[in-house]
Amino acid sequence: MSEKVLAYLTENREQLLNKLNEFLAIPSISTDSAHKQDVQAAADFIVTYLNDIGFEKVEKQETAGHPLVYAEYNGAGPEAETALFYGHYDVQPVDPIEEWKSDPFKAEVRDGRIYARGSSDDKGQVFMHLAVFEAYMKTEGKLPINVKVCIEGEEEIGSENLYDILHARKEQFQADFAVISDSGMVAKNQPTILYGLKGFTGIEIKVTGPNHDLHSGMYGGAVRNPIMALNHILASMKNVDEVITVDGFYDDALPLTDAERTLMAGAPSEDFIEATGVPETVSEKGYTPKEHTMGRPTLEINGMYGGYQGEGTKTIIPTSAVAKITCRLVPGQDPVKIQELLEEHVKAHTPSGITVEVKKEKLSAKAYKVEPNNPLITKAAESYTKAFGKETVYIRMGGSIPVVEWIEAIYNIPIVLLGFGTPEDRLHSPNESFPLDSFDKGMETLVYYWNKVNEK
Amino acid sequence: MSEKVLAYLTENREQLLNKLNEFLAIPSISTDSAHKQDVQAAADFIVTYLNDIGFEKVEKQETAGHPLVYAEYNGAGPEAETALFYGHYDVQPVDPIEEWKSDPFKAEVRDGRIYARGSSDDKGQVFMHLAVFEAYMKTEGKLPINVKVCIEGEEEIGSENLYDILHARKEQFQADFAVISDSGMVAKNQPTILYGLKGFTGIEIKVTGPNHDLHSGMYGGAVRNPIMALNHILASMKNVDEVITVDGFYDDALPLTDAERTLMAGAPSEDFIEATGVPETVSEKGYTPKEHTMGRPTLEINGMYGGYQGEGTKTIIPTSAVAKITCRLVPGQDPVKIQELLEEHVKAHTPSGITVEVKKEKLSAKAYKVEPNNPLITKAAESYTKAFGKETVYIRMGGSIPVVEWIEAIYNIPIVLLGFGTPEDRLHSPNESFPLDSFDKGMETLVYYWNKVNEK
């Protein structure tokens, strides 16, 4: 019965791509308050689309930040499974803008890829689900399953309001399982089931010294340099063996079993050097890059600044310096405890002559692992294989999707991570893109999956 | 015979201050190419003024960068001493502009101070010399000494072209002694003779990792973070005892003698905590802040940046990170050798997985010390004391004036550093200012000094 649906997607491919481009053209950057109206516009786009498809109770719920879009489809009847479909319509900032080969908000197809901010993370993948729903309704007049749609606009800023909403509206949102397409495959056209994700947390450190920039000749030798002080603090958090040297950081991290290390060694992976252009890879002493990215916690400085950044030289001792740090956590680690350990470490390593302020990242998520043998997972794997014509692999990933942990904690249902991105997508970077292959075969996968879900 | 000259300065004070304000209104920021024309305008202001006063051979010499203004006065006759008067008309950038209480290029008098960029460093002090020349010419019809004026527009960017000009025009510029007012007094209204200055050099370090910003979840654990790598490099250059840990850095530094340490302990000094707002002072282990600022070398990070600096969080591993470092040197240290030691240290402490690039600061100056008993120095001290009604003190300073080293090396003449700035002037910072007291008594000092110079 999938043929008509697949045919619809093929026949309407151009019109669907044009519609996707409209969606991608909205600069819904959630972290930048200047784009608040654009984020609203992206939510409105989805509301309109869901109404056109024929969803019920379509609603834009305003929050303290950006709105959440909710809708239901109950046409499959009480016997059918009900899926909670989660996605996000907000995107990352685009700086440095000068590095984009084409306008980040004017989608351009080059070499079989759609180039635009959000094409892969996550607008493109959200759109695929909506297009498949449209195809089912236009051809079969119904969907094989019931659906509850939950698409937020704050994923890139830590889903600040989603957690409370998932709690407050538990009864209404409750489903039999959840489906999320906000992840990737290990390689282009390699079906991949993600059975594990990392947790996440972070802090911002601000070091303040003199109350104004000082002449380095008049005061050098009398005051502590805030940038150097911050350097000492940061250098004390991770050594050159990439081992995190914050007391207690690894205490609760579940160790990688030999079995899992073997599985990881076997799992296909991109060539990190080719993908990033680094002269050589580095990873935690005693672990391979694959093991570290998939199964060991990380601590990264995402940004740092202080003093003069302009042309030429400015001989000052600056008034302050700031560093933004985030960590990716593994099963066993508690993000809140990790933040406390980081703060204690900073305080313990703060030299005299300056003051330090630690701001704790609001976002906090535990790591997640699902049972690979769950029939909802294996059915997804089968659909994947059928669409891509290749055996599905199972992996864990270094990324974090807080909502996965929250849905598990609040709704206690299996979560199927159906990701169609590829390692070359440049998420969060200039020239983000998404393969047309993933667009076509991904939608095909979803068509098969919705059919399979109800098969006993 | 000074009375008429002093009277002229008093009677014309308001008109002179208005003229100074015109000069300060020109945003002659030499490090910022956007202000190239403003730097020219500042040079033209001086050319016009020198012509109006009655100087000869007034000339604006163009260079690869900003012009140098030259002029001569030979009216005192062959018997009189000839002074080489050096100053600079360029200024530092004004960022962060939002911290200025008034427009940096619209001079405003508040609480007896002139607030404007360049009011103290060095436009204000250059103007005082010109005003005194004007007063002599308008009242006595002549100056007591012959003068060669050399005012550059590149002091804040390392006087890139001055060195070659001083060499090329040695015969024309040669004088019996040099006078420079580009420094300060240890305290407001405390006559101060600077008999020692620090040398100067610097490097810029750029660490490059991946060829684009990476998603910290997908690549954290496989690549070296350029900011963390730079942190390790920088933290290895100076320890928390403020001891510079670069091999050989102190080898050639002449040690402070007990006599000099006693002199420094006795020399009046500002309250560093009050002037900077730091919770406590820090200085090289084994030395007081006064000893370190006046007589020990320093290494400061003037600016550092890499990765995301915007609102909120961006979970990336950035492509690169940059740090700007400058050192202040003491007698005995060779700036070029120090740059090499810094570069070797950086190379030796660069971890794997990234590439590092060291750019050497073009500016390079050795430290300077003059003989305090030289009659040209003692006459300056007497003039100072007469004008300010207070005993003159002798100090060494942490600042660097490369031209001092060059004039000594090329012309082999004594250099008199007649500075009228104060510790509260906020050189190089927002809200730079200069006391009206220094303006009035400083000009009075110059009037006395030009008279004394010829006394046998």
Side-chain angles (χ1 to χ4, degrees):
Chain A
M1 73 175 274
S2 312
E3 288 62 27
K4 277 189 294 176
V5 186
L6 294 174
Y8 179 90
L9 292 172
T10 312
E11 288 151 18
N12 296 275
R13 185 168 185 267
E14 186 176 354
Q15 168 254 325
L16 288 170
L17 281 172
N18 292 339
K19 189 160 186 167
L20 168 59
N21 295 351
E22 282 175 47
F23 190 30
L24 295 173
I26 306 168
S28 48
I29 302 168
S30 50
T31 197
D32 183 348
S33 44
H35 285 281
K36 199 166 180 30
Q37 287 317 309
D38 300 314
V39 180
Q40 283 281 346
D44 295 335
F45 176 96
I46 296 166
V47 166
T48 308
Y49 199 173
L50 288 167
N51 279 314
D52 295 346
I53 294 169
F55 272 76
E56 308 153 26
K57 303 183 183 165
V58 181
E59 167 198 2
K60 185 172 78 169
Q61 179 182 357
E62 295 298 344
T63 73
H66 303 299
L68 175 134
V69 176
Y70 177 77
E72 290 181 8
Y73 174 78
N74 301 309
E79 295 312 304
E81 297 270 354
T82 299
L84 175 66
F85 164 53
Y86 163 88
H88 67 91
Y89 61 82
D90 63 322
V91 298
Q92 281 275 321
V94 295
D95 61 299
I97 185 68
E98 62 274 12
E99 290 183 19
W100 286 78
K101 293 200 181 65
S102 58
D103 186 335
F105 297 110
K106 195 166 178 313
E108 185 175 294
V109 173
R110 298 195 300 270
D111 316 323
R113 289 185 157 269
I114 305 166
Y115 284 85
R117 170 61 85 222
S119 55
S120 177
D121 177 17
D122 181 38
K123 281 171 159 179
Q125 302 199 56
V126 164
F127 184 87
M128 287 160 64
H129 280 269
L130 301 179
V132 167
F133 293 146
E134 172 189 333
Y136 264 106
M137 296 297 279
K138 286 284 172 65
T139 53
E140 308 286 342
K142 63 190 290 294
L143 307 184
I145 52 159
N146 299 312
V147 180
K148 291 175 176 182
V149 174
C150 168
I151 305 177
E152 70 160 323
E154 300 184 302
E155 197 274 343
E156 302 295 1
I157 53 172
S159 304
E160 285 183 11
N161 295 287
L162 183 65
Y163 185 79
D164 293 343
I165 295 171
L166 291 177
H167 260 292
R169 304 181 64 176
K170 184 176 188 312
E171 254 180 53
Q172 186 179 22
F173 285 23
Q174 183 69 55
D176 302 311
F177 68 110
V179 172
I180 302 177
S181 301
D182 190 21
S183 53
M185 307 182 287
V186 291
K188 190 158 175 285
N189 295 329
Q190 171 56 63
T192 306
I193 289 281
L194 203 51
Y195 73 97
L197 286 167
K198 280 184 181 172
F200 178 95
T201 192
I203 60 169
E204 182 172 300
I205 307 172
K206 180 171 187 179
V207 171
T208 303
N211 54 24
H212 61 284
D213 290 347
L214 303 177
H215 187 291
S216 69
M218 291 170 63
Y219 297 97
V223 305
R224 181 85 65 187
N225 184 311
I227 302 179
M228 184 58 93
L230 185 53
N231 271 288
H232 282 126
I233 292 170
L234 296 170
S236 73
M237 300 176 89
K238 189 163 78 171
N239 66 25
V240 290
D241 291 331
E242 294 291 311
V243 174
I244 296 160
T245 47
V246 174
D247 278 354
F249 186 87
Y250 294 109
D251 287 359
D252 305 328
L254 294 184
L256 285 181
T257 63
D258 292 349
E260 196 148 33
R261 293 180 83 161
T262 312
L263 180 69
M264 287 174 175
S269 146
E270 71 179 314
D271 180 326
F272 287 119
I273 289 179
E274 190 184 308
T276 66
V278 295
E280 65 178 293
T281 59
V282 294
S283 54
E284 181 183 351
K285 192 174 188 182
Y287 297 90
T288 67
K290 259 157 70 173
E291 288 169 342
H292 195 173
T293 51
M294 287 199 243
R296 292 288 296 170
T298 63
L299 180 150
E300 299 293 350
I301 305 169
N302 309 120
M304 178 169 176
Y305 56 95
Y308 186 62
Q309 302 187 15
E311 240 183 287
T313 301
K314 192 176 181 197
T315 53
I316 56 167
I317 297 170
T319 178
S320 65
V322 174
K324 293 166 178 278
I325 294 175
T326 52
C327 296
R328 303 284 181 168
L329 309 175
V330 299
Q333 291 182 295
D334 172 20
V336 176
K337 180 180 171 190
I338 292 295
Q339 278 186 321
E340 281 159 10
L341 293 175
L342 293 173
E343 185 174 27
E344 284 165 24
H345 180 93
V346 170
K347 297 279 161 71
H349 290 75
T350 299
S352 61
I354 48 113
T355 58
V356 67
E357 183 191 345
V358 173
K359 205 188 300 174
K360 287 176 179 164
E361 165 71 49
K362 282 194 213 71
L363 165 57
S364 154
K366 289 198 174 101
Y368 168 81
K369 266 175 85 174
V370 67
E371 177 45 62
N373 308 333
N374 183 302
L376 286 160
I377 298 289
T378 53
K379 285 177 179 179
E382 289 156 26
S383 308
Y384 240 137
T385 301
K386 185 172 174 189
F388 285 82
K390 204 165 173 196
E391 208 46 54
T392 301
V393 297
Y394 290 71
I395 61 153
R396 278 172 65 175
M397 198 184 74
S400 318
I401 312 177
V403 65
V404 170
E405 179 216 350
W406 300 341
I407 290 173
E408 186 193 33
I410 302 169
Y411 299 101
N412 186 32
I413 54 176
I415 299 158
V416 184
L417 299 170
L418 277 175
F420 302 107
T422 70
E424 296 74 32
D425 291 0
R426 300 202 161 188
L427 308 183
H428 296 203
S429 300
N431 304 305
E432 176 179 355
S433 68
F434 189 67
L436 285 168
D437 275 0
S438 288
F439 183 72
D440 297 326
K441 294 178 183 161
M443 291 195 294
E444 193 180 339
T445 305
L446 295 174
V447 171
Y448 296 141
Y449 187 52
W450 298 140
N451 266 333
K452 273 188 183 294
V453 165
N454 280 321
E455 290 172 6
K456 294 285 161 280
Chain B
M1 71 174 278
S2 312
E3 289 60 28
K4 276 190 296 176
V5 185
L6 295 174
Y8 179 90
L9 292 171
T10 312
E11 287 152 17
N12 295 275
R13 185 169 186 266
E14 185 175 355
Q15 168 253 325
L16 288 170
L17 281 172
N18 293 338
K19 188 160 186 167
L20 168 59
N21 295 350
E22 281 174 46
F23 190 31
L24 294 172
I26 306 167
S28 48
I29 302 168
S30 50
T31 197
D32 185 346
S33 44
H35 286 282
K36 198 164 178 35
Q37 288 317 309
D38 300 314
V39 180
Q40 284 281 346
D44 295 334
F45 176 95
I46 296 165
V47 165
T48 307
Y49 199 173
L50 287 168
N51 278 316
D52 295 348
I53 294 170
F55 272 78
E56 310 154 22
K57 303 183 184 166
V58 181
E59 166 199 2
K60 184 170 79 168
Q61 180 183 355
E62 295 299 342
T63 73
H66 303 299
L68 175 134
V69 176
Y70 177 78
E72 290 182 7
Y73 175 79
N74 302 308
E79 296 311 305
E81 297 268 354
T82 299
L84 174 65
F85 164 53
Y86 163 88
H88 66 91
Y89 60 83
D90 62 321
V91 298
Q92 280 275 323
V94 295
D95 61 303
I97 185 68
E98 62 275 11
E99 291 183 17
W100 286 80
K101 293 200 182 62
S102 59
D103 186 335
F105 297 110
K106 194 165 179 311
E108 186 176 291
V109 173
R110 299 194 298 270
D111 315 324
R113 287 185 158 269
I114 305 165
Y115 284 86
R117 170 59 87 223
S119 54
S120 176
D121 177 17
D122 181 37
K123 281 172 158 180
Q125 303 199 55
V126 164
F127 185 87
M128 287 161 63
H129 279 269
L130 301 179
V132 167
F133 293 146
E134 172 189 333
Y136 263 107
M137 295 298 279
K138 287 281 174 63
T139 53
E140 309 284 344
K142 63 189 292 293
L143 307 184
I145 52 158
N146 298 312
V147 180
K148 291 177 176 181
V149 174
C150 169
I151 305 177
E152 70 161 324
E154 300 185 302
E155 198 272 347
E156 302 295 0
I157 53 172
S159 305
E160 284 181 15
N161 295 288
L162 183 64
Y163 184 78
D164 294 342
I165 295 171
L166 291 177
H167 260 293
R169 303 181 65 175
K170 183 176 189 315
E171 258 182 48
Q172 187 178 19
F173 286 22
Q174 184 68 56
D176 301 311
F177 68 109
V179 172
I180 302 177
S181 300
D182 190 21
S183 53
M185 308 182 286
V186 291
K188 190 159 175 287
N189 296 329
Q190 170 56 63
T192 307
I193 289 281
L194 241 174
Y195 73 98
L197 287 167
K198 279 182 181 174
F200 178 94
T201 191
I203 60 170
E204 181 172 301
I205 307 172
K206 180 173 187 179
V207 171
T208 303
N211 54 25
H212 61 284
D213 290 347
L214 303 177
H215 187 291
S216 69
M218 291 169 65
Y219 297 97
V223 305
R224 181 86 65 187
N225 184 310
I227 302 179
M228 184 56 94
L230 185 53
N231 271 287
H232 282 126
I233 293 169
L234 296 170
S236 73
M237 300 176 88
K238 190 163 78 171
N239 66 25
V240 290
D241 291 331
E242 295 292 312
V243 174
I244 296 159
T245 47
V246 174
D247 279 353
F249 186 88
Y250 294 109
D251 288 0
D252 305 329
L254 294 184
L256 286 180
T257 62
D258 293 348
E260 195 147 33
R261 293 180 82 160
T262 313
L263 180 68
M264 287 174 175
S269 145
E270 70 178 316
D271 181 326
F272 287 120
I273 290 179
E274 190 185 307
T276 66
V278 295
E280 63 178 293
T281 59
V282 293
S283 53
E284 181 183 352
K285 191 173 189 181
Y287 296 90
T288 66
K290 258 157 72 174
E291 288 169 343
H292 195 174
T293 50
M294 287 199 243
R296 292 287 296 170
T298 63
L299 180 150
E300 298 293 349
I301 305 168
N302 308 119
M304 179 170 176
Y305 56 95
Y308 186 63
Q309 302 188 15
E311 240 184 286
T313 301
K314 192 176 180 197
T315 53
I316 56 166
I317 296 169
T319 180
S320 65
V322 174
K324 294 167 177 277
I325 294 176
T326 51
C327 296
R328 304 284 182 169
L329 309 175
V330 298
Q333 291 181 296
D334 170 21
V336 176
K337 181 182 172 190
I338 292 295
Q339 278 186 322
E340 282 158 9
L341 293 175
L342 293 173
E343 184 174 29
E344 284 166 23
H345 181 93
V346 170
K347 295 281 159 71
H349 290 74
T350 298
S352 62
I354 48 111
T355 58
V356 69
E357 185 190 342
V358 173
K359 207 188 298 173
K360 288 174 178 167
E361 166 72 49
K362 282 194 215 72
L363 165 56
S364 155
K366 290 198 173 103
Y368 168 82
K369 264 175 88 173
V370 67
E371 178 46 64
N373 308 334
N374 182 302
L376 285 160
I377 297 290
T378 52
K379 285 176 177 178
E382 289 156 25
S383 308
Y384 241 137
T385 301
K386 186 173 175 188
F388 284 82
K390 204 165 172 198
E391 209 45 54
T392 300
V393 297
Y394 290 72
I395 62 155
R396 280 172 64 177
M397 199 183 73
S400 317
I401 311 177
V403 66
V404 171
E405 179 217 350
W406 300 341
I407 289 174
E408 186 193 33
I410 301 170
Y411 300 100
N412 186 32
I413 54 176
I415 299 158
V416 183
L417 300 171
L418 277 174
F420 301 107
T422 70
E424 297 75 29
D425 291 359
R426 300 202 163 190
L427 307 182
H428 296 203
S429 300
N431 303 305
E432 176 179 354
S433 67
F434 189 68
L436 285 169
D437 275 0
S438 289
F439 183 74
D440 297 325
K441 293 177 183 161
M443 290 195 293
E444 191 178 341
T445 304
L446 295 174
V447 171
Y448 296 141
Y449 187 51
W450 298 141
N451 265 335
K452 274 188 185 294
V453 164
N454 279 322
E455 291 171 6
K456 293 288 164 278

